[in-house]
Amino acid sequence: CAKKLKSVSPKRTGKYASGWGQENTTETFTGPSTIVWNKKYPGLTHLLEYGHANRGGTGRTPPHPHIKDVEKEMSEKYYQRMGKCAEDK
């Protein structure tokens, strides 16, 4: 997921896109858990995904949706993989 976000993130200087990382956390009752976040610019993710008002009231910056699409794609892959595991047992 982090690799995919690095490739589809907005790239003006490339610093934001290179900040994506992931961490495998402890196993929960639903299975293993992974956290994906932007290590360098965590507050910028929401502003880029949904757009924001500019400083000084000079208008709005348009949204650049990139996280939601990757999240949906990775969720579908996860559920397909889980379905195959259930069929194998």
Side-chain angles (χ1 to χ4, degrees):
C1 190
K3 288 179 186 177
K4 180 78 171 176
L5 281 168
K6 284 181 182 185
S7 67
V8 299
S9 291
K11 293 175 187 67
R12 192 170 75 188
T13 63
K15 291 180 183 179
Y16 170 75
S18 68
W20 289 105
Q22 71 180 32
E23 179 180 323
N24 295 327
T25 60
T26 59
E27 190 152 332
T28 62
F29 68 93
T30 58
S33 179
T34 301
I35 298 173
V36 178
W37 78 102
N38 194 300
K39 298 180 278 190
K40 293 182 181 178
Y41 300 99
L44 191 57
T45 57
H46 182 83
L47 296 175
L48 286 173
E49 183 77 6
Y50 300 106
H52 58 90
N54 294 336
R55 187 183 301 185
T58 59
R60 292 192 59 83
T61 298
H64 297 281
H66 57 287
I67 301 170
K68 198 65 160 174
D69 298 335
V70 173
E71 177 190 8
K72 184 177 179 182
E73 180 184 337
M74 293 298 143
S75 293
E76 289 172 0
K77 284 184 179 182
Y78 173 77
Y79 287 120
Q80 287 175 354
R81 185 179 292 171
M82 293 307 292
K84 289 180 182 177
C85 290
E87 291 173 2
D88 292 342
K89 290 184 178 182

